[in-house]
Amino acid sequence: MDNNVSKNTFFDKFFKLRCAEDKSTISIKNLLKRDLLQSIDLYQQQKNLNLDLEFIHTILERKIVLLYSSRKKLSSKNKTDQILSKLQLAPIVYSCSIAFSLTRYSPLSSQIIAKNLVSLLVSNGISATFEFNLKLLIEIAEPGWINFYMDSIAIAKWLERTSGFLETLPAKNHSRGETLPLDHNLHKTTKNLFPCQYIHARYCSLLRLGAREKLITLQNDNFHKVVWHLELPKSISWLDKAGNLWLTHAAEYALLRHLLVVADSFADEMTNWYKLALNLSEAMTFFEAECRFLGDIKRNNPEKAIARLGLITLAQYWLQKILVEKLNIVAPTEL
């Protein structure tokens, strides 16, 4: 009993310290990391193991990955088909391989360890993802992967919480002062980020267009500050009346996935910001080419049009933040 009390006390301090160090409360990866750390600590007490929690915390960041949509079919013996049937889109899946690392402390197989961790996570009801009301579907896939599925409701909850969180952040000016015109040679001294600058200017134009069409209201339309620009609507309806996500196009889904990666990256000091900016801008370009918000969309499904503008607002915010705060270059607002 004394041993358990000691472990509880240690982990309580350990967990509070790590939570205080979190750099983003909208990172799904960070929330899952917190969930799994708690589950692992309960597991070590239950099995009377002597785990190196500092080591586990260090490696856990690398053990949680957002799977690419091409990896849809996962080997499983616990009703994968039933899980997938609940998802109306190709699933967004976070997968964790921490059970493989824990086999060094236990004679049990990685799949049994994964089952134990999930059981503790579910039965104790202490999930950090509950803060978002994210009811992620959990799957144990052979030979010991723990997969967390985001369905339409979970995605909508994340989008709602993210927009609300970004709205509370203080504004930041461009690090180089006034917005400069587009210039192919602007950043030649490092790497060519003109495609990122170009698509940022395009997204600013799209938001101004949405405001002129009275679909949204902007706090201001100069975009000189890194700030949440959407004033109205205060709450976007990301789901239709049937509970389905408005954003169902492949381009919308690709952009959604990249926005999740960006939110996770702002909680990770080791991010390659140049590569992230290029990947995000590519997804934004694909989205602009494929997904309109005027014409028939505006007339027949104005909620869908507004949802698309909400996604545009998120993408514009994050790309500007990366360009200005991480890469220290201008994010042009006009073509």
Side-chain angles (χ1 to χ4, degrees):
M1 180 176 296
D2 291 338
N3 189 32
N4 285 338
V5 171
S6 176
K7 288 179 181 178
N8 278 327
T9 303
F10 167 78
F11 186 74
D12 182 60
K13 295 178 180 178
F14 173 87
F15 182 68
K16 288 180 179 178
L17 173 63
R18 296 307 182 184
C19 288
E21 293 176 353
D22 282 349
K23 298 181 179 180
S24 173
T25 59
I26 54 175
S27 166
I28 300 297
K29 189 174 184 178
N30 250 22
L31 291 173
L32 292 175
K33 182 177 176 180
R34 288 161 58 182
D35 288 352
L36 288 165
L37 279 173
Q38 292 184 81
S39 183
I40 289 168
D41 181 64
L42 291 173
Y43 177 71
Q44 81 158 349
Q45 295 179 50
Q46 183 184 77
K47 301 297 183 181
N48 196 26
L49 302 175
N50 186 22
L51 304 182
D52 186 346
L53 288 177
E54 288 285 355
F55 170 74
I56 291 172
H57 178 275
T58 301
I59 66 171
L60 191 54
E61 183 75 26
R62 303 190 302 271
K63 300 296 181 180
I64 305 173
V65 296
L66 180 57
L67 298 185
Y68 289 95
S69 58
S70 59
R71 294 177 63 181
K72 296 178 185 178
K73 295 182 180 179
L74 299 170
S75 173
S76 174
K77 291 184 179 180
N78 61 325
K79 302 181 180 179
T80 305
D81 293 338
Q82 182 178 349
I83 290 177
L84 295 181
S85 68
K86 297 179 181 179
L87 303 173
Q88 299 161 350
L89 305 173
I92 289 180
V93 187
Y94 280 86
S95 188
C96 180
S97 61
I98 191 61
F100 300 102
S101 299
L102 295 180
T103 56
R104 63 188 291 184
Y105 302 101
S106 171
L108 301 177
S109 69
S110 56
Q111 188 158 5
I112 293 177
I113 292 175
K115 289 181 179 179
N116 288 334
L117 292 179
V118 170
S119 177
L120 289 169
L121 186 64
V122 173
S123 63
N124 283 276
I126 53 174
S127 173
T129 53
F130 288 174
E131 297 175 14
F132 280 171
N133 195 23
L134 290 177
K135 298 178 181 179
L136 303 183
L137 300 173
I138 305 176
E139 172 202 45
I140 302 167
E142 295 181 347
W145 295 86
I146 304 175
N147 297 322
F148 300 87
Y149 288 78
M150 294 186 69
D151 62 7
S152 295
I153 296 176
I155 293 172
K157 289 289 185 182
W158 180 80
L159 287 168
E160 180 182 356
R161 179 66 178 265
T162 299
S163 58
F165 174 78
L166 297 181
E167 189 176 10
T168 64
L169 297 181
K172 291 187 178 181
N173 290 309
H174 280 283
S175 59
R176 293 175 180 251
E178 295 296 324
T179 302
L180 302 180
L182 284 170
D183 183 355
H184 285 277
N185 299 317
L186 182 62
H187 202 53
K188 185 176 287 186
T189 55
T190 52
K191 296 178 179 178
N192 183 18
L193 287 167
F194 173 74
C196 304
Q197 296 174 299
Y198 175 83
I199 197 62
H200 179 267
R202 287 289 304 144
Y203 269 50
C204 291
S205 297
L206 291 176
L207 290 173
R208 294 189 189 100
L209 177 59
R212 288 197 298 271
E213 293 292 327
K214 302 189 183 304
L215 287 167
I216 59 173
T217 301
L218 299 174
Q219 294 183 16
N220 61 72
D221 61 1
N222 57 31
F223 299 98
H224 288 171
K225 296 181 179 181
V226 180
V227 66
W228 182 251
H229 291 283
L230 190 61
E231 183 174 2
L232 294 173
K234 287 294 185 182
S235 179
I236 294 176
S237 298
W238 299 104
L239 301 174
D240 62 19
K241 293 181 180 179
N244 301 319
L245 198 67
W246 281 116
L247 309 171
T248 58
H249 193 281
E252 294 169 324
Y253 219 53
L255 184 52
L256 270 171
R257 187 186 182 283
H258 277 84
L259 293 177
L260 283 163
V261 172
V262 171
D264 291 337
S265 296
F266 270 88
D268 181 6
E269 297 179 357
M270 305 303 293
T271 298
N272 183 333
W273 296 107
Y274 167 73
K275 182 178 180 180
L276 186 67
L278 287 178
N279 290 342
L280 177 59
S281 66
E282 288 177 3
M284 292 167 67
T285 302
F286 179 37
F287 172 87
E288 184 194 7
E290 298 293 330
C291 302
R292 310 298 183 190
F293 57 83
L294 298 179
D296 290 341
I297 297 295
K298 178 186 176 183
R299 285 191 296 272
N300 301 328
N301 294 297
E303 297 93 344
K304 184 180 184 72
I306 293 172
R308 285 181 169 176
L309 283 164
L311 199 59
I312 290 171
T313 306
L314 281 169
Q316 179 274 324
Y317 174 89
W318 284 120
L319 183 58
Q320 184 181 33
K321 190 174 182 69
I322 294 171
L323 293 176
V324 174
E325 298 181 11
K326 299 299 182 179
L327 298 175
N328 195 32
I329 67 169
V330 170
T333 66
E334 294 180 329
L335 298 175

